[in-house]
Amino acid sequence: MANSFHRVSQSLGRDSGMGSTVALLIAAMIVTAWLAWAFNSRITRYEVSDSARVEVDRAAYPVQASASGRLVASALVLGAEVQTGEILAELDSNPERLSLQEERTRLAALQPQLGALQSQLASEERGQTDERRLLSFSVEGARARYQEAEAQAALAEQQAARAARLQSEGILATADAERAKAEARSKRAAAENLKIAISRLEPELRVREQDRDVRQKQILADIAKLEADIATSSAAIQRLRYEIDRRRIRASISGRLGECASLHPGSEV
């Protein structure tokens, strides 16, 4: 028993801890290497799918035009880098451009016509208001004159009746009585003329308003027609712009152009 204890004590004395330290260092290096591999390495993953598309590097993509025609411009250079949406070629669009210019000219001519009609309509409305006000003042003035003439006619008739009575009594001469009677008839006729003039003013106002309403309705119809023409012309301009844009062949994706034989100005696409 004493001999065994002595051997254990000697073994513990010879063990200085160097082996454990080396083992720990090796373990730490292994863990570090594993972590570096786990974060930086690439692992191929395989998935199962019923449908898939296989692409290779520098795969070819067809360049297609949404319209057919004669090629007039081309930027197709073998190996050139292009971006999505970049114009690669352009088809002949002269007929569409001429039609577009024609529609723009027509639209530019329609706008002033519309402005003139709108100004005319506003003038008619202002004229209608001013005419109503003027005729209203005319009617009021005619009524005031009629009332004054009516009063003068009534006074002249009273004086004529008094003159006739004085004539019958032999106090007033016949000529004076006849003169008073004539003056009364004259003033009555003037009052009646003013009354007739008043009765004619209101129908005249209605006739003028009807004529002005007819003109305003015609102007409104012309404005509506011009607005429809402007809308049609604007829609035609948008359509022609779209047609011109359709004749520009654009890159659908970014990448490098491959060989595009037979695509040169003058060729049919």
Side-chain angles (χ1 to χ4, degrees), residues 140-159:
E140 291 178 358
R143 286 175 179 172
R145 291 193 297 272
Y146 168 72
Q147 291 175 358
E148 182 180 359
E150 179 67 21
Q152 292 177 358
L155 179 61
E157 288 172 351
Q158 291 176 2
Q159 291 177 352

Side-chain angles (χ1 to χ4, degrees), residues 6 18 20 24 33 38 44 61 83 91 96 123 133 146 216 224 227 256 264:
H6 179 71
M18 183 61 68
S20 300
L24 289 174
T44 303
Y61 290 89
Q83 302 298 324
L91 303 179
E96 288 78 8
S123 177
R133 187 182 298 110
Y146 168 72
Q216 289 179 354
E227 288 177 344
R256 187 181 300 275
H264 55 81

Side-chain angles (χ1 to χ4, degrees), residues 41-63:
S41 64
R42 295 184 178 180
I43 301 176
T44 303
R45 183 177 62 183
Y46 298 93
E47 294 184 358
V48 178
S49 175
D50 295 335
S51 62
R53 183 179 64 182
V54 179
E55 295 183 0
V56 297
D57 189 23
R58 300 183 183 276
Y61 290 89
V63 177

